[in-house]
Amino acid sequence: MPGQHPQDGQLYGLASLTPAELAEITSAATGRAIGSASTRVTSIPYDWGSPATAGLWQVVASGPDAQAAGPVSYTYFVKLLRHPRRWPGLAHLPDQASRDEFVGYFPWRFELDMYQCGIGDVLPAGMRTPRLHHVKRARAALRQSGDP
């Protein structure tokens, strides 16, 4: 069922960037140097049962143009991926063998792997992948009690 996840703010913290990082990425995306970026974050409702997706947000970054040409604003789609062993629905699989098989098989990094393999370079004319601006790894932050 689509809706706001109760831990949405905490999850966004794993994906968020500092104002300086966001200003640097936004400057590169717009081709205009900006000062420190401010943000407006909106959770995007979706089916929270997705094993690989921990959260989705629309982030609007804005800041002053360093050349005084007016304000700069850019909108990002932020997606937080998670390993399937952290998927809350895993507990609904019937037994440990099923859970182990699912965790070992599920291609949770598929979208990121597609970007990094260069598939965008071989797509037919008129097709493209969305632009990937930044990848942030939050492995240590995602550890749960009892994880290795």
Side-chain angles (χ1 to χ4, degrees):
M1 176 162 109
Q4 176 104 4
H5 190 278
Q7 295 179 325
D8 194 49
Q10 180 183 2
L11 290 172
Y12 180 72
L14 295 173
S16 67
L17 301 174
T18 67
E21 291 170 323
L22 193 55
E24 180 180 340
I25 293 166
T26 303
S27 293
T30 62
R32 294 170 62 188
I34 68 166
S36 185
S38 64
T39 58
R40 185 179 74 238
V41 179
T42 306
S43 180
I44 297 174
Y46 74 100
D47 181 359
W48 283 94
S50 172
T53 304
L56 300 172
W57 300 271
Q58 178 187 45
V59 177
V60 178
S62 56
D65 186 310
Q67 305 301 317
V72 177
S73 182
Y74 198 81
T75 301
Y76 298 94
F77 177 80
V78 176
K79 182 171 189 173
L80 178 63
L81 296 176
R82 68 172 158 228
H83 192 282
R85 107 178 130 243
R86 293 181 178 22
W87 175 47
L90 192 62
H92 298 291
L93 295 179
D95 54 41
Q96 189 60 45
S98 299
R99 291 187 284 277
D100 290 344
E101 184 176 348
F102 179 81
V103 166
Y105 166 77
F106 189 79
W108 68 280
R109 289 180 41 101
F110 181 75
E111 292 172 74
L112 182 57
D113 290 344
M114 296 284 37
Y115 281 108
Q116 293 177 335
C117 79
I119 195 167
D121 298 334
V122 297
L123 291 174
M127 291 185 72
R128 66 173 185 85
T129 58
R131 187 171 176 191
L132 179 63
H133 294 280
H134 185 76
V135 174
K136 177 181 177 181
R137 305 213 186 274
R139 179 174 301 173
L142 291 174
R143 287 215 171 114
Q144 297 175 345
S145 176
D147 280 354

